[in-house]
C-alpha cells in the first residue's frame, strides 16, 4: 500500500493497534487521528490528522468496532479503505450498520448487480462447486481465448495487439485488461458494506459526504478556538489584578 501510494505522490502515516486488547483501541485511535476535544463539557471530538483516508488491513471481524472507535475519535470525514478479504465475509446474509460504513470502500472480484456473475455462480452451484475468484478468473480467461478466435499462423506480437484492443467479452468477474506488451491486470469493482451484503460504491455521493463532514469538523474546531480565546483575556485580567493588589 505504501509503495502504490508513494508512487502516486501521496504520503503515508502508519500505525498499529493491539489485535487482542480492544480496551486500548480508543486511546490508540485518538493518538493516530490526533484527536482534539474542547475543554467545554460535551465537546465533539475532531480528528486533526491531515490524511484523508485510512487503510485497514485487518479482516472484517474487527471492522464494526474499529470503525466505530475511529468515528468516536473524530474520523467522520475520513474515507475508510478495506481489503479484498472483506468480500469473503460480506455475503447476502451479512448485516452492517449503514451509518457506520457510509464512507467505506473495498475492492472486489464480483459485481453484485451483474447478470453474468449471477449466472456463473448459479452454474457453479448446480455442479456443487464454489464460485470463487480463481474459478471466475479461469472462466473469463477461457471466454477471452474463445473471443479472440485465433487462426493458424498467429504470432505473440499479433496476439498482444488483439488483447490490447479490448476484446468483446461479457465478463463474469472483474474485467481483464492487457497492455501492448501482453501484461494483464484486472479492474476490480469498488463495493461498500450495505445493510444486507454489499452494494456498488457511489464515489460522487461519498465525495459530497466527505466535503460536508469536513466543513462540519472545521466549524467545530473554529468554535472551540473561539471559546478558548474568550477565556484567555479573563485569565490575563485576573493575573494583572492579582499583581496590582499585591
Amino acid at each position: 500500500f505504501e509503495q502504490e501510494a508513494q508512487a502516486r505522490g501521496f504520503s503515508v502515516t502508519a500505525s498499529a493497534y493491539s489485535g487482542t486488547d480492544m480496551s486500548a483501541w480508543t486511546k490508540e485511535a485518538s493518538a493516530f487521528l490526533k484527536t482534539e476535544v474542547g475543554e467545554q463539557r460535551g465537546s465533539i471530538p475532531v480528528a486533526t490528522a491531515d490524511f484523508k483516508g485510512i487503510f485497514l488491513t485487518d479482516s472484517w471481524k474487527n471492522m464494526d468496532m474499529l470503525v466505530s472507535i475511529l468515528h468516536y475519535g473524530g474520523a467522520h470525514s475520513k474515507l475508510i479503505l478495506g481489503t479484498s478479504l472483506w468480500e469473503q465475509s460480506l455475503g447476502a446474509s451479512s448485516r452492517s450498520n449503514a451509518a457506520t460504513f457510509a464512507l467505506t470502500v473495498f475492492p472486489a472480484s464480483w459485481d453484485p448487480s451483474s447478470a453474468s456473475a449471477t449466472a456463473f455462480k448459479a452454474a457453479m452451484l448446480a455442479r456443487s462447486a464454489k464460485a470463487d475468484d480463481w474459478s471466475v478468473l479461469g472462466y473469463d480467461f477461457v471466454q477471452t481465448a474463445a473471443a479472440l478466435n485465433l487462426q493458424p499462423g498467429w504470432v505473440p506480437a499479433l496476439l498482444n495487439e488483439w488483447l490490447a484492443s479490448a476484446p468483446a467479452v461479457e465478463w463474469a468477474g472483474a474485467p481483464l485488461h492487457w497492455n501492448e506488451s501482453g501484461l494483464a491486470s484486472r479492474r476490480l469493482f469498488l463495493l461498500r458494506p450495505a445493510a444486507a451484503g454489499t452494494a456498488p460504491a457511489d464515489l460522487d455521493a461519498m465525495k459530497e459526504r466527505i466535503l460536508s463532514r469536513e466543513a462540519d469538523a472545521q466549524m467545530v474546531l473554529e468554535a472551540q478556538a473561539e471559546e478558548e480565546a474568550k477565556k484567555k483575556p479573563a485569565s490575563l485580567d485576573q493575573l494583572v489584578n492579582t499583581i496590582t493588589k499585591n
Side-chain angles (χ1 to χ4, degrees), residues 81-245:
L81 307 171
T83 71
S84 56
L85 292 175
W86 293 10
E87 185 179 12
Q88 301 173 15
S89 302
L90 288 167
S93 61
S94 66
R95 298 291 180 267
S96 302
N97 187 317
T100 302
F101 298 103
L103 291 179
T104 304
V105 297
F106 65 94
S109 305
W110 304 95
D111 178 359
S113 61
S114 167
S116 298
T118 301
F120 175 75
K121 290 179 179 180
M124 291 290 286
L125 185 62
R127 291 166 173 77
S128 300
K130 182 181 178 181
D132 58 17
D133 188 34
W134 287 110
S135 61
V136 75
L137 180 61
Y139 174 75
D140 281 340
F141 182 82
V142 171
Q143 280 203 105
T144 305
L148 291 174
N149 191 26
L150 295 176
Q151 301 300 317
W154 67 269
V155 295
L158 182 59
L159 174 59
N160 288 341
E161 183 180 336
W162 284 336
L163 289 172
S165 68
V169 175
E170 191 173 352
W171 305 103
L176 284 157
H177 299 270
W178 285 265
N179 64 16
E180 294 178 355
S181 300
L183 183 64
S185 61
R186 296 175 81 196
R187 185 170 298 166
L188 298 180
F189 301 104
L190 286 178
L191 304 184
R192 62 173 179 82
T198 63
D202 186 337
L203 300 185
D204 290 334
M206 284 185 171
K207 183 177 180 180
E208 289 182 13
R209 185 183 290 266
I210 288 171
L211 293 174
S212 175
R213 290 184 174 182
E214 284 179 341
D216 291 342
Q218 185 60 35
M219 288 177 62
V220 170
L221 285 174
E222 290 174 357
Q224 290 176 358
E226 187 176 344
E227 192 66 29
E228 305 248 343
K230 289 179 181 177
K231 294 178 181 178
K232 288 180 181 178
S235 300
L236 182 59
D237 289 342
Q238 290 174 1
L239 177 61
V240 171
N241 290 336
T242 301
I243 295 173
T244 303
K245 290 177 180 177

